Amino acid sequence: MAEAVANAPERYALALQTSSEACLSYSLVSFLRASAILWLVEGPHGKIRNGLLDPVAGWDQAPAASTAAVLFGSVLHAEGGDLPVGAFTTRMLGACSLSPEYMGLTEPLHQAWDMDALTAELKRQAPKGVALVSGDGFSGTVSAYRTEAGVVENFDVLLPAGLPEADSAPALADAAVEANAQEIGIDGHYGLVDGFVRVGGERFREPRLRVLGPSLHRGLPEKLDADVELRGRAPFQHLVAAFPGAVAQT
């Protein structure tokens, strides 16, 4: 699939079509999202739906409880910088007592985590590249794409058992601000079935933490349903928002 993304003509949109009973690994869901590939589901009477967000008949409410969490983030590497892709991801996961172990383009992953090899692979896929990543207790993707200002590194991983440490969120926020992250987030995920994402399951997420860099938090509403703190001095401030509350169905 990674090769298809790299070789697809610009005028074409790629899509994965499944039945409405399908369940995908979060790594594949994250890969589809990072690669701008549609997940299409054929419903009754041939109607095509969005497998990420469209509701499924008989499954309009998420399970009442789940420990699963999604951890994601992005940072801008300045053009000409020598920091390898994956350093930011490693640092943010490390703030949550997690460590990348394996990487690759297909599951199951066998190649040991190597930031130089990852950087070379994502450069090969440029201007936008995506790779899978996993470690003890998590799996997802690392991606990178070019902009006029530099290279944006993204990661997006699922932790079925949740964050390993109770104080991970504060430590992660501190690390994100120090690293000048564009964004860091933690979401609770309630749309899983045996660790896999069911059709429409991505709707059932709720925000727990957001750290937004200067270019992202400007223009947000003054009042958020969260404990909000601004770190740093204007105009180079990060907004740190910790969310309480119920399941968000977006």
Side-chain angles (χ1 to χ4, degrees):
M1 190 175 290
E3 294 299 327
V5 172
N7 297 322
E10 291 186 6
R11 65 182 182 275
Y12 289 97
L14 294 179
L16 172 69
Q17 183 168 334
T18 71
S19 70
S20 59
E21 291 77 31
C23 290
L24 305 185
S25 71
Y26 188 81
S27 293
L28 180 51
V29 168
S30 179
F31 181 92
L32 296 177
R33 190 162 39 228
S35 304
I37 298 176
L38 302 173
W39 180 8
L40 301 181
V41 177
E42 184 174 351
H45 311 294
K47 182 179 179 181
I48 300 298
R49 298 180 299 184
N50 182 333
L52 287 177
L53 298 177
D54 285 353
V56 177
W59 206 66
D60 293 333
Q61 293 185 350
S66 173
T67 60
V70 173
L71 175 61
F72 59 92
S74 66
V75 73
L76 174 66
H77 297 302
E79 189 67 41
D82 58 359
L83 190 67
V85 175
F88 170 75
T89 298
T90 299
R91 184 176 180 182
M92 295 303 104
L93 291 172
C96 300
S97 302
L98 300 167
S99 179
E101 296 179 9
Y102 298 100
M103 52 181 262
L105 299 180
T106 60
E107 296 179 290
L109 303 181
H110 299 294
Q111 183 179 358
W113 175 256
D114 183 321
M115 287 185 286
D116 290 334
L118 175 66
T119 302
E121 173 56 37
L122 297 184
K123 280 184 177 180
R124 186 186 70 82
Q125 297 180 36
K128 185 172 186 177
V130 187
L132 307 182
V133 60
S134 67
D136 186 13
F138 72 92
S139 61
T141 61
V142 177
S143 61
Y145 63 90
R146 292 176 182 165
T147 70
E148 293 183 356
V151 175
V152 176
E153 174 183 339
N154 298 278
F155 72 93
D156 179 8
V157 300
L158 173 72
L159 296 80
L163 294 174
E165 301 290 344
D167 60 350
S168 288
L172 178 62
D174 291 342
V177 172
E178 185 177 350
N180 195 28
Q182 289 186 312
E183 181 179 18
I184 283 291
I186 300 173
D187 283 356
H189 201 306
Y190 298 82
L192 301 176
V193 177
D194 296 328
F196 288 80
V197 180
R198 187 173 177 177
V199 172
E202 279 292 279
R203 297 169 59 236
F204 300 106
R205 291 172 59 157
E206 66 171 356
R208 295 181 182 172
L209 175 73
R210 290 293 186 275
V211 181
L212 303 177
S215 63
L216 293 182
H217 72 72
R218 295 170 186 167
L220 285 177
E222 293 185 2
K223 292 186 178 181
L224 293 174
D225 185 19
D227 295 328
V228 176
E229 176 188 2
L230 283 173
R231 305 268 191 95
R233 294 185 178 181
F236 305 107
Q237 290 180 305
H238 283 71
L239 181 145
V240 179
F243 293 81
V247 177
Q249 300 181 20
T250 57

